[in-house]
Amino acid sequence: IVIHNGINAIEVRAKQQSDQLNFYLFGRIKPEKGQWFLIEALSLLDKKILAKSKFILMGGAAPGGEEMMADLNRKIDRAGLRDFVEIRDFAANIADAMSHADVCLVPSIMKDPFPTTVLEAMSAAKPVITTNHGGAKEAVVDNETGFLIDPDSVQELAHSIALSITQQSELSKIGNKGFKRYQNQFTLARFKKNWFHFNLDHQLI
């Protein structure tokens, strides 16, 4: 029996009109979170496609991870992506950042059991691009509420990003479908209800 996690919705403000398309990746700077994977994917794309797009890596280095941060910065510079990628520090509350996001990236290399960031993005009506292993593939419906990509395919990640950029008019529709899926399956109230009925059915309460 699977009982999916549920969360309270991230309260976001309506995003102001802007020519810039913002992709956010929330998570501490370390390879398993997918930042290096993302840079490899971006390096495959023509700079003309990336024009007016910004990729914000928000989370900062974990304690003792300064060399990882330096390595990532070197990779960004070598790929010529400094104009498109920005690294920001960790923030306890991501509501403000999520308000500015157009797409949420969760390109984890590790098999995250059920990444909360995916649910947070869906609760804020943001499309999600994520790897199709771990719990993310149970939350995101491919090509409907976001895009599921192979964690071993830099090309798939690059393609999903390019598709988001070239078909921006579809992003709000995808985000709204994700929000409806969140409301139906991943709210905290839904989790509590499912947990209660599981315990009741198995005479644990």
Side-chain angles (χ1 to χ4, degrees), residues 173-187:
K173 297 176 186 177
I174 295 172
N176 287 334
K177 287 180 180 179
F179 177 66
K180 289 178 182 177
R181 182 167 169 78
Y182 158 77
Q183 286 186 311
N184 290 333
Q185 297 192 36
F186 302 117
T187 63

Side-chain angles (χ1 to χ4, degrees), residues 114-134:
F114 207 68
T116 301
T117 306
V118 170
L119 301 188
E120 290 173 333
M122 291 170 63
S123 79
K126 308 295 181 178
V128 181
I129 299 176
T130 184
T131 40
N132 64 358
H133 59 185

